[in-house]
Amino acid sequence: MELASLSANLLLVSFIAYLVATLFFGGAVKGAKSEASYKNNRSGKIGIIITVIGFITHLGYFITRWIASGHAPVSNMFEFMTAFGMMLVGAFILLFYLYRTPSLGLFALPIAIIIIGYASMFPREITPLIPALVSHWLTIHVITAALGEAILAISAVAGLVILLKHVDLTKKSKQRFWLEAVMFTLVLVVGFVLSSTVFKLTGYEAQFNYIDKNDLPATIEYNYPPLFGMHEYEALTPDAMTPWAEMPAVVNAKTLTTFVWSVATGIVLYFILRLIVRRPIATLFQPFAKKANSQLMDEIGYRSVLIGFPVFSLGALVFAMIWAHEAWSRFWGWDPKEVWALITWLFYAAFLHLRLSRGWEGEKSAWLAVIGFIIIMFNLIAVNLIIAGLHSYA
């Protein structure tokens, strides 16, 4: 328990460090006259030092939780998302020392912060591995896949900077609409954190019996008012809200309920922000991207895909298929998670094809990088949580 407590404290320290570092990177970007002047900017130097400290404490969290649990801390959503955030920051630090551009940190760190905040809404208790996960391939497959996704996420960060710099937000256009849609998606994640925090503070709980996808009786506890009921549900909590609809066994109604509440909260939050600022949310971030070097960001985005794609291919496909053959005596089973891993792989293969053969650079490449990250997050959130499959334990 002491190690578990230390692990939680280290994660909190890293979270705070990333917040503080973001402020310094913001100061570096705002105070610099041009991209070239970043290299000698004091705020930028302080920002990267604090980021490295945060990363070291984040790595300390990962190691101490590994020791406390006896297995790689990537077996559930809390552990995986915190590891994903750590690897994203690690990828940023490496690229920062290669290119010396605080603009990347100003946008990469807030995404890592949102990811860690999102992770904290899931159960954080250390629990034994279920039999299906007791394998050395858990460490190899999941960590490699997460590392690949984190490197690919940096390409989206660089792409977002390019789009914020070049898209004209003063005129209505498809580019402005879709860029604002990206901002809206980030607000939805904040909505999840906000709604989860509110219901946790109220202590809301409602238990139900149901029949799972294997036709076995089971019990589940909701922490949100149940909008959707599990298959053949029966309420155990007196005066619990009656679900609006019963879901088939293939759908996890609890996580679908969480998803709908989060989206609803995010939509309300987004429109409140729009009423306050009276303009697209993207315009709030655009001034911080104006001084960025577009060619440099384009190179960072391209190199991130060049590195991240083969790493993701190994982790999410090759190692996953080896483990699947070891566990279920088949390499491929069209499980929802497997299908979306393949879709992600095909997308980034198309990205590289279009980049190399069609010369898709600059804004076109940036849009592809951002769309790729949205596909990754859809796989991690919607597919992982809502659709019942062999990966539903995550």
Side-chain angles (χ1 to χ4, degrees):
M1 291 302 292
E2 291 181 2
L3 270 179
S5 178
L6 174 61
S7 176
N9 289 333
L10 287 172
L11 182 61
L12 177 61
V13 170
S14 67
F15 182 83
I16 295 171
Y18 298 152
L19 282 172
V20 175
T22 300
L23 297 177
F24 277 99
F25 283 131
V29 171
K30 190 175 181 181
K33 294 180 180 179
S34 65
E35 183 80 20
S37 64
Y38 287 154
K39 295 182 180 180
N40 299 316
N41 190 289
R42 184 180 177 185
S43 294
K45 291 180 179 178
I46 296 174
I48 191 60
I49 290 171
I50 296 175
T51 303
V52 171
I53 293 171
F55 178 74
I56 292 171
T57 57
H58 203 156
L59 187 62
Y61 144 80
F62 190 77
I63 293 170
T64 52
R65 189 172 177 97
W66 192 328
I67 296 171
S69 63
H71 59 79
V74 288
S75 62
N76 55 45
M77 281 298 288
F78 169 74
E79 292 179 342
F80 181 86
M81 295 304 287
T82 50
F84 179 48
M86 177 186 71
M87 293 174 188
L88 194 156
V89 174
F92 155 68
I93 291 172
L94 176 62
L95 288 166
F96 179 87
Y97 280 110
L98 289 174
Y99 295 100
R100 301 285 178 174
T101 171
S103 292
L104 196 65
L106 181 59
F107 289 91
L109 290 183
I111 291 176
I113 289 166
I114 291 174
I115 288 172
I116 297 170
Y118 173 77
S120 68
M121 297 300 102
F122 292 95
R124 286 164 277 181
E125 296 78 13
I126 294 177
T127 56
L129 288 176
I130 64 173
L133 294 180
V134 180
S135 170
H136 62 279
W137 285 107
L138 169 70
T139 305
I140 300 171
H141 155 56
V142 181
I143 289 181
T144 308
L147 179 60
E149 290 173 340
I151 299 170
L152 291 171
I154 294 296
S155 70
V157 175
L160 184 60
V161 174
I162 292 173
L163 295 175
L164 283 170
K165 180 176 180 178
H166 291 285
V167 173
D168 186 353
L169 297 176
T170 62
K171 299 177 182 178
K172 289 185 178 181
S173 64
K174 290 182 180 179
Q175 290 83 358
R176 189 183 84 163
F177 173 82
W178 288 112
L179 184 57
E180 187 65 8
V182 173
M183 298 294 111
F184 174 69
T185 303
L186 293 175
V187 174
L188 289 184
V189 178
V190 176
F192 170 77
V193 176
L194 181 62
S195 62
S196 181
T197 301
V198 169
F199 284 114
K200 276 188 177 182
L201 291 175
T202 61
Y204 185 89
E205 292 179 357
Q207 289 188 333
F208 292 83
N209 284 333
Y210 70 102
I211 303 299
D212 66 15
K213 62 180 184 291
N214 298 315
D215 291 325
L216 297 174
T219 302
I220 195 167
E221 182 178 279
Y222 284 69
N223 301 111
Y224 286 78
L227 303 178
F228 304 96
M230 299 294 287
H231 183 55
E232 297 184 18
Y233 70 87
E234 178 187 356
L236 298 178
T237 303
D239 302 322
M241 173 182 167
T242 302
W244 294 349
E246 179 182 314
M247 294 292 103
V250 72
V251 175
N252 188 323
K254 176 184 175 180
T255 50
L256 179 59
T257 293
T258 301
F259 179 78
V260 172
W261 271 110
S262 303
V263 169
T265 305
I267 290 172
V268 172
L269 181 61
Y270 174 79
F271 280 107
I272 290 174
L273 290 173
R274 285 296 302 267
L275 286 172
I276 294 172
V277 301
R278 297 182 179 276
R279 52 185 171 147
I281 303 299
T283 59
L284 298 177
F285 303 96
Q286 193 170 49
F288 295 101
K290 284 297 184 183
K291 298 173 185 175
N293 185 319
S294 299
Q295 288 185 333
L296 184 62
M297 287 297 164
D298 188 54
E299 181 181 345
I300 290 172
Y302 176 50
R303 288 199 175 185
S304 296
V305 176
L306 280 179
I307 298 169
F309 180 68
V311 176
F312 176 80
S313 301
L314 275 176
L317 295 179
V318 178
F319 294 155
M321 287 190 288
I322 294 172
W323 188 10
H325 186 268
E326 181 182 281
W328 303 304
S329 301
R330 51 81 171 164
F331 289 105
W332 190 264
W334 297 104
D335 181 70
K337 190 79 171 177
E338 295 173 340
V339 171
W340 275 93
L342 178 61
I343 290 172
T344 305
W345 185 88
L346 290 172
F347 179 86
Y348 280 103
F351 175 103
L352 290 175
H353 171 74
L354 291 169
R355 176 92 187 194
L356 294 171
S357 65
R358 299 292 182 88
W360 280 31
E361 300 180 359
E363 287 188 49
K364 288 183 178 179
S365 180
W367 278 114
L368 289 177
V370 170
I371 293 169
F373 184 64
I374 291 173
I375 292 173
I376 288 174
M377 295 310 295
F378 180 82
N379 190 9
L380 291 179
I381 298 173
V383 177
N384 218 38
L385 297 178
I386 297 174
I387 303 174
L390 294 173
H391 293 77
S392 296
Y393 49 72

